[in-house]
Structure formats: C-alpha cells, structure tokens
C-alpha cells in the first residue's frame, strides 16, 4: 500500500505543474461480429459527428417551438406555467395530429379549466402527452373513471398526473449530450434493446418460464479505448482545473460500462427476456496510479461472479506507457448489478456463468468472497452493532488525549463538525439514465466533487489525490424533480508512514432525497459515499500553497503540528470508527488489487 501511495503522490506532483488546453468532440467504432465488444474513442475524424448531433438537437428545438409555445402561453400572450397538480390528469400515447378539441371530446360533461390543456410531443416517435386540468376534484375523478378512451382509432391512457410530468425514459433518448463520449456511446449501443422493451413492456405478463442459459465471461467482455495522448478534443471532456483527468468523469464511465456488461450477460435472444439492470452497490474503486492526461487509457469490463439475480462486474483501467508501449495497471473496481423484472420491480433470475479457465474460477471465488465480506461488514456495521472493545478504547484514548491542554500544543485538533460542507441539487432531466431516473454515475460524480472540495478546504497545502472509494450502496432511486441534499464530512485522518506531513483523509458523503409535492420536507437517504484521499506536502516545483492557509506551527519551531479529527458526540465517534475501518481495509485491498493483474 505504501509503494502505491508513493507512486501516486510522486506522479501527481509532476502533473500538478502542467496545464493543458483542448476542445471537444467524439468518435466511436464498435465491433459487432461477436459478443465481446471493443470501442475506440478518437475525435480526429468525427467533429462532424458531434456537430450533426448538435444540429439535430437544434432542429428538434425549432420543430417543437410551436408546441412549447402552446404549452406555456395563454390567450392574452402571457405565461401560465403553473399546473394544478391536485386537479390534473395525464394522457399518454397521443398521436402528433391531436388537437385540443379532440381532447375536450374525451370528457363530455366535465368542466376543464381555462387554458387547462397543455401538450408536448416528441419528434422522434411522433407521440406525445397532454395534461388536462379540471375545475374541481370531482371532475378529475370523473375523468380517471373513463375506460377504453379512444381518439379515432388510437387508444390513449388517462392516468393520474405523475410528479415528473413525463415518461423521461421514452422521450429524447437517442443521444445523451450531458454525458461523456464513453457513456453516450455505451447507452446508445443499448438503444435497440430498449426500443424492443418499450414495445413489449405493456403486454400482459406471460406465465411461461423464461429459460436460463449458461454464458462465458468472455460473452459479455467489453473494452473501451480512450486516446488522450493524441486527441486533445477528447481530453478536454475529462480535464480538471489542475491538469489531471477528472475522477468524477471516470466514475460515470465505470458505472455505464458496468451496466453494459451486465445487460450483455443477463439478456437473451427472446423478446420475453427483458430486464431492468440497476447498480446495487460499488464494493470499491481503487486507484493504483494517477490518471495522466497525456497517456492513452483502456477500460475492460467483464462478469466475474453471478448469483441468482445479481452479478459482479470487474472493471480494470490501464494506461499505456509512451516509452515501453506497455499497458500498466491504473484502476480496479467492482460493481454489483441486480436484474429486476420491469413489470413488478422484483429481482429476476439471470443467466449463469460457465467457467472455462483457472483464472475465471479464481475470479468467481473472489466474487463469492466479496459477497461474504459485504454481509460481514453489514452485520458488523456500527449502525446495528456496538463497537469492539479495541474500538471503545480508541475512542476513550482520543477523549483523554484531547482533554490534556499540552496536547493542543503538540497536535492540531479539528472538530469533526467544523469540516462539514453541504450542497443542494434540483435533479434535472438532463441527468437521467436510460430508465428515466437520475444516473448513478452522476450521483457518484457529484458525491466525489463535494468530498474533494471538503478535503481541499482543510488540507490545502497541495491538491488532494483520490485513492479509493469504498462500500457504496444505492438504497433507492433518485427521480427527476427530486431535491438532492449532500453532506460531506471528514470523519478520520491517519498519517501515512514514512511520508512527512502526509495523511489518509477519509470523507463521508451522505445523500438524501426529498419530493416536496408528495412528502413535503421529509428526506430519505439514497446513498452514503466513502472516499479516501491522499494529502501530501507540495513539491518545491509547484506553487499551489503560496496563497493557501498554512497549518499551525508547534511552539517556536517550524515543524507543523500533526492533524487529528476530534469527534465530540457519540454519533461523531461512530462515524470516526467507521472511517477508521475503511482506511484499515485499504491496507488489505492494496495487495489483493495488485494480485488480480497477474495473468
């Protein structure tokens, strides 16, 4: 673990003195001749590809101009954007030739409010939605009682108004301009599958047993190339303010790649075998080397373990050494994906894994071990079980030490509560995934960015270096229109052996969602993210610390005081111990994450 730490810190210091300028575009090619896939991203020949996407987007906006005008304007030319949610119904499946008179004819005897019909259509499908607001609640209930509603020969559905106002997984899914080149391409490559699903999802469930087959790990193997060394346009999509590649962007790509690999393993050739695949948890993401922007990268995703409805996806990231042309290990991550029946959202059985080689069997055993470790960590969680005797002694020693006045002359104690940073996000439709929920990779990116800034504020002598993300569980989906609150706190700090003034800094980020219309200010926890950073003194060649706040000095000497986090309540003490557990686990993971690279 120490050798990895030294490699990260030394390379990162060299990178910190560089600055890169670039512009962006995308190019991708895929091989469809076999189940295994390889995608290459090189923008040299495809600026026009992005341009055409942009033109399509602009043209769609122009075509929809009159539609949005009718949605938001009233007869007096003013704007009326408010919808009375209590008295409104939603009509789906409308053909593009529909008129307001056609909708009025659906509700004879019911009183529709003035300007109470609002419509929107999608150019790609020529289908749309209408939102009809009635004068009274009884009129709305009367509308919902109508069965077998038809406009001409087209059957339409009259439904209670959903909070999101739209079925976001159906509208405008041909491109994802807010995602990276990798995520955009991976999602678009799944489009034929989702078009098939949209055609079959409304059919009554079949009692026929869907066959489970065996697949090799190689059947779902997917490979991604990122040519950063020669393509400054692509590099610009990932570049951070400090000359590094953005970890948050890579987190999005890792989540998208894990989903693609899981779909390829779980799905069959039968139209009846259609799943919704969700990210259940991220066991860990461990960075072995810095993400250098002047190197090419390769991402490899493969299924390593399969249960009844869950799959472990291992993703390796490599970078090419420009001198030796050798692909070197950079990052290792493990995602647990779960297949759900799209009709009832219950776990659905997936194809089993056939193991042909000794390496595949070893990876399967590791996957089983990871599952047992997750169960063990859950059972021993401080949320449900008391601390061990050794941990209680740690907290007591911390309490006794911090109460000795002379300790404040030797140590810089930072109250845990003083490290907290908070952000509030209104979840926008542009951040949705293919299922119409907020993309899990986006949540990880926002969690990382908040954790990074929280760490940077306190350890500001150098740029914090991401080391690992551990033990991430997705407790519930986040919907468009939800309010997402994220709180980040430094819960634990541990000095790095043999590196002066250097620390492992553990940052916990909790995410809560609320739906003001349905549940008012009530918040529900959606995620807890745990990030480990390396904070080391700056290199003499960098100047990031020239304006940064300097740590306190010890007495009359020039040696900075060692930094410690001070929990002041029982809850903070439990968070401190949870952070300590994660840092201690990293020591065990470091060796195993190196062993997995041995061919």
């Amino acid at each position: 673990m120490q050798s990895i730490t030294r490699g990260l810190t030394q390379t990162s210091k060299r990178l910190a003195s560089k600055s890169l300028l670039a512009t962006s575009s995308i190019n991708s090619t895929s091989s469809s001749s076999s189940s295994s896939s390889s995608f290459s991203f090189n923008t040299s020949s495809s600026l026009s590809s992005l341009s055409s996407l942009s033109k399509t987007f602009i043209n769609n906006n122009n075509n929809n101009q009159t539609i949005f005008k009718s949605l938001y304007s009233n007869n007096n030319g003013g704007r009326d954007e408010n919808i009375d949610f209590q008295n409104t119904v939603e009509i789906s499946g409308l053909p593009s030739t529909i008129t307001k008179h056609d909708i009025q004819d659906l509700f004879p005897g019911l009183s529709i409010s003035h300007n109470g019909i609002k419509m929107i259509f999608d150019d790609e499908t020529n289908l749309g939605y209408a939102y009809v607001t009635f004068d009274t609640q009884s009129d709305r209930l009367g509308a919902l009682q109508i069965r077998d509603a038809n406009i001409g020969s087209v059957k339409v559905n009259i439904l209670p108004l959903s909070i999101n106002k739209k079925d976001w997984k159906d509208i405008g899914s041909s491109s994802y301009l807010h995602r990276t080149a990798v995520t955009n391409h991976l999602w678009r490559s799944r489009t034929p599958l989702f078009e098939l699903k949209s055609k079959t999802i409304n059919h009554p469930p079949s009692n026929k047993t869907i066959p489970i087959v065996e697949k090799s790990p190689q059947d779902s193997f997917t490979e991604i190339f990122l040519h950063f060394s020669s393509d400054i346009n692509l590099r610009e999509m990932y570049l951070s303010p400090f000359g590094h590649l953005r970890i948050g962007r890579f987190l999005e790509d890792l989540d998208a790649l894990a989903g693609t690999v899981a779909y390829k393993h779980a799905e069959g050739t039968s139209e009846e075998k259609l799943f919704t695949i969700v990210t259940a948890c991220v066991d860990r993401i461990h960075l072995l080397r810095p993400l250098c922007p002047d190197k090419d990268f390769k991402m490899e995703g493969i299924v390593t373990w399969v249960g009844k409805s869950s799959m472990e996806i291992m993703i390796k990231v490599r970078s090419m050494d420009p001198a030796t042309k050798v692909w070197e290990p950079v990052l290792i991550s493990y995602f647990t994906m779960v297949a759900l029946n799209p009709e009832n959202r219950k776990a659905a059985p997936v194809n089993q894994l056939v193991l042909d080689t000794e390496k595949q069997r070893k990876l399967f055993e590791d996957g089983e071990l990871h599952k047992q470790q997750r169960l063990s960590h859950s059972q021993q969680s401080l949320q449900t079980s008391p601390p061990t005797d050794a941990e209680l002694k740690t907290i007591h020693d911390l309490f006794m030490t911090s109460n000795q006045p002379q300790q404040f002359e030797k140590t810089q104690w930072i109250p845990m509560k003083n490290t907290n940073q908070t952000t509030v996000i209104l979840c926008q439709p542009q951040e949705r995934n293919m299922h119409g929920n907020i993309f899990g990779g986006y949540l990880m990116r926002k969690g990382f960015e908040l954790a990074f800034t929280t760490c940077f504020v306190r350890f500001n002598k150098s740029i914090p270096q991401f080391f690992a993300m551990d033990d991430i569980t997705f407790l519930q989906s986040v919907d468009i229109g939800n309010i997402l609150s994220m709180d980040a706190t430094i819960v634990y700090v541990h000095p790095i052996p043999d590196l002066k003034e250097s620390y492992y800094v553990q940052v916990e980020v909790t995410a809560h969602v609320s739906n003001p219309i349905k549940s008012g200010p009530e918040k529900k926890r959606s995620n807890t993210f745990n990030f480990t950073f390396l904070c080391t003194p700056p290199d003499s060649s960098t100047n990031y610390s020239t304006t940064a706040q300097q740590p306190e000095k010890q007495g009359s000497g020039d040696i900075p005081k060692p930094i410690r986090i001070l929990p002041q309540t029982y809850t903070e003490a439990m968070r401190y111990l949870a952070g300590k557990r994660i840092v201690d686990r990293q020591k065990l993971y470091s060796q195993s994450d190196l062993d997995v690279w041995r061919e």
Side-chain angles (χ1 to χ4, degrees):
M1 184 175 180
Q2 293 182 25
S3 62
I4 295 174
T5 302
R6 290 194 186 93
L8 282 169
T9 56
Q10 292 171 2
T11 308
S12 298
K13 290 173 184 176
R14 291 196 299 270
L15 287 172
S17 63
K18 298 181 179 180
S19 62
L20 298 167
L21 297 175
T23 55
S24 69
S25 59
I26 31 175
N27 177 36
S28 61
T29 58
S30 64
S31 172
S32 58
S33 58
S34 64
S35 297
S36 300
S37 300
S38 177
F39 304 117
S40 176
F41 292 86
N42 191 327
T43 67
S44 59
S45 62
S46 64
L47 184 59
S48 60
S49 175
L50 183 62
S51 175
S52 63
L53 282 175
S54 301
K55 289 178 180 177
T56 301
F57 181 69
I58 294 170
N59 289 337
N60 285 345
N61 281 345
N62 292 336
N63 293 338
N64 283 334
Q65 186 175 8
T66 57
I67 296 173
F68 285 110
K69 198 174 289 184
S70 67
L71 177 63
Y72 288 131
S73 61
N74 56 33
N75 291 337
N76 298 323
R79 293 177 62 83
D80 180 14
E81 299 185 15
N82 295 321
I83 293 179
D84 182 356
F85 286 86
Q86 300 298 320
N87 295 329
T88 301
V89 299
E90 174 182 318
I91 308 176
S92 63
L94 294 177
S96 59
T97 56
I98 194 72
T99 67
K100 288 187 177 182
H101 295 294
D102 294 324
I103 293 177
Q104 289 172 342
D105 292 341
L106 287 175
F107 307 107
L110 301 180
S111 179
I112 298 176
S113 300
H114 179 64
N115 294 319
I117 299 177
K118 309 180 192 311
M119 297 184 292
I120 184 170
F121 293 90
D122 179 47
D123 281 348
E124 296 176 5
T125 62
N126 287 323
L127 294 176
Y129 298 77
Y131 306 102
V132 183
T133 302
F134 296 89
D135 286 327
T136 66
Q137 182 70 8
S138 61
D139 287 327
R140 171 184 175 272
L141 293 175
L144 292 175
Q145 297 299 317
I146 297 175
R147 297 290 183 266
D148 300 324
N150 293 278
I151 297 179
S153 60
V154 179
K155 181 178 180 180
V156 297
N157 299 311
I158 302 175
L159 304 168
L161 179 62
S162 64
I163 182 62
N164 295 332
K165 301 186 187 178
K166 295 181 184 178
D167 188 353
W168 293 106
K169 59 178 173 286
D170 287 341
I171 292 183
S173 59
S174 62
S175 63
Y176 302 88
L177 300 180
H178 287 257
R179 304 274 69 86
T180 67
V182 171
T183 300
N184 190 352
H185 185 87
L186 289 171
W187 283 3
R188 293 178 70 191
S189 69
R190 296 188 219 161
T191 299
L193 172 66
F194 277 77
E195 289 177 348
L196 174 63
K197 183 180 293 186
S198 66
K199 295 176 182 178
T200 60
I201 194 66
N202 293 322
H203 290 186
S206 172
N207 295 324
K208 180 180 177 181
T209 302
I210 300 175
I212 301 297
V213 301
E214 290 185 340
K215 285 188 174 183
S216 166
Q218 202 63 25
D219 291 336
S220 58
F221 176 82
T222 305
E223 193 174 51
I224 300 289
F225 289 88
L226 291 156
H227 301 285
F228 290 128
S229 66
S230 58
D231 192 343
I232 62 173
N233 299 314
L234 180 66
R235 189 190 308 165
E236 171 68 8
M237 295 180 184
Y238 291 78
L239 203 60
S240 79
F242 310 110
H244 304 84
L245 295 176
R246 293 173 61 182
I247 296 292
R249 286 300 193 189
F250 271 80
L251 294 179
E252 291 188 347
D253 291 343
L254 293 174
D255 191 42
L257 179 55
T260 295
V261 173
Y263 267 108
K264 290 171 69 174
H265 176 80
E267 297 290 356
T269 57
S270 170
E271 292 188 5
E272 297 178 354
K273 195 171 185 180
L274 298 170
F275 296 111
T276 296
I277 304 290
V278 298
T279 305
C281 68
V282 183
D283 279 358
R284 66 181 180 274
I285 298 175
H286 188 183
L287 188 66
L288 308 175
R289 286 185 175 86
L291 300 175
C292 305
D294 56 349
K295 294 183 178 181
D296 292 337
F297 283 79
K298 176 171 63 173
M299 296 181 178
E300 304 167 342
I302 194 169
V303 176
T304 55
W305 176 88
V306 173
K308 184 177 180 181
S309 60
S310 59
M311 298 158 280
E312 180 185 81
I313 313 298
M314 179 180 72
I315 300 177
K316 294 179 179 180
V317 179
R318 308 173 192 258
S319 65
M320 178 180 285
D321 186 301
T324 64
K325 305 300 181 183
V326 173
W327 288 102
E328 299 175 326
V330 170
L331 181 147
I332 185 78
S333 62
Y334 296 92
F335 286 72
T336 300
M337 316 298 289
V338 174
L340 302 177
N341 185 317
E343 294 171 346
N344 55 28
R345 302 291 293 179
K346 293 183 178 180
V350 297
N351 297 320
Q352 292 303 293
L353 205 59
V354 56
L355 308 173
D356 299 321
T357 67
E358 187 61 33
K359 181 180 179 180
Q360 291 175 355
R361 285 187 281 271
K362 176 63 170 62
L363 290 175
F364 188 91
E365 292 172 0
D366 290 345
E368 187 65 34
L369 177 61
H370 297 158
K371 177 185 176 182
Q372 297 303 322
Q373 289 174 339
R374 287 196 302 272
L375 292 174
S376 176
H377 295 159
S378 177
Q379 293 169 356
Q380 297 173 18
S381 169
L382 293 168
Q383 299 291 331
T384 56
S385 302
T388 65
D389 291 342
E391 289 173 332
L392 288 173
K393 186 177 185 303
T394 296
I395 293 300
H396 185 262
D397 291 345
L398 191 65
F399 169 76
M400 295 298 295
T401 301
S402 64
N403 279 338
Q404 299 174 14
Q406 64 271 26
Q407 285 296 324
F408 284 87
E409 299 177 2
K410 300 178 180 179
T411 304
Q412 181 182 352
W413 293 94
I414 302 177
M416 183 183 295
K417 65 181 180 181
N418 290 356
T419 68
N420 181 260
Q421 300 286 333
T422 301
T423 186
V424 179
I425 301 168
L426 177 62
C427 297
Q428 304 288 355
Q430 291 78 14
E431 309 302 343
R432 69 190 184 276
N433 60 18
M434 297 192 73
H435 304 299
N437 306 119
I438 298 300
F439 176 37
Y442 169 78
L443 298 176
M444 289 195 290
R445 173 165 69 85
K446 301 305 290 186
F448 168 81
E449 290 171 351
L450 179 60
F452 174 88
T453 54
T454 301
C455 182
F456 199 9
V457 166
R458 285 293 173 178
F459 293 83
N460 51 15
K461 290 189 67 177
S462 62
I463 309 300
Q465 305 302 318
F466 172 72
F467 183 67
M469 187 173 81
D470 186 86
D471 194 19
I472 311 299
T473 301
F474 290 81
L475 302 176
Q476 65 177 44
S477 62
V478 181
D479 296 326
I480 295 167
N482 282 171
I483 295 176
L484 178 67
S485 303
M486 286 186 166
D487 295 274
T489 305
I490 300 176
V491 295
Y492 182 70
V493 170
H494 183 74
I496 300 175
D498 303 327
L499 288 177
K500 185 180 178 181
E501 298 180 54
S502 301
Y503 300 92
Y504 295 110
V505 179
Q506 190 65 37
V507 183
E508 178 189 82
V509 180
T510 57
H512 292 81
V513 294
S514 59
N515 185 330
I517 293 178
K518 285 187 175 181
S519 54
E522 179 187 359
K523 295 182 179 180
K524 295 182 180 180
R525 178 173 295 196
S526 62
N527 306 89
T528 299
F529 303 98
N530 297 289
F531 298 95
T532 307
F533 294 92
L534 305 181
C535 295
T536 62
D539 187 85
S540 57
S541 63
T542 63
N543 60 359
Y544 288 114
S545 63
T546 55
T547 59
Q549 177 184 353
Q550 301 298 317
E552 297 178 19
K553 305 294 183 178
Q554 179 180 355
S556 59
D558 294 328
I559 302 175
K561 295 180 181 181
I563 299 174
R564 301 283 300 275
I565 291 295
L566 180 62
Q568 295 177 301
T569 66
Y570 185 82
T571 298
E572 289 182 352
M574 295 303 99
R575 298 176 74 182
Y576 179 95
L577 292 177
K580 182 179 185 300
R581 287 182 178 184
I582 292 173
V583 172
D584 290 343
R585 285 204 298 266
Q586 300 296 350
K587 302 172 185 177
L588 301 176
Y589 291 158
S590 293
Q591 186 56 49
S592 63
D593 287 344
L594 289 175
D595 291 342
V596 78
W597 294 89
R598 295 191 176 95
E599 300 296 340

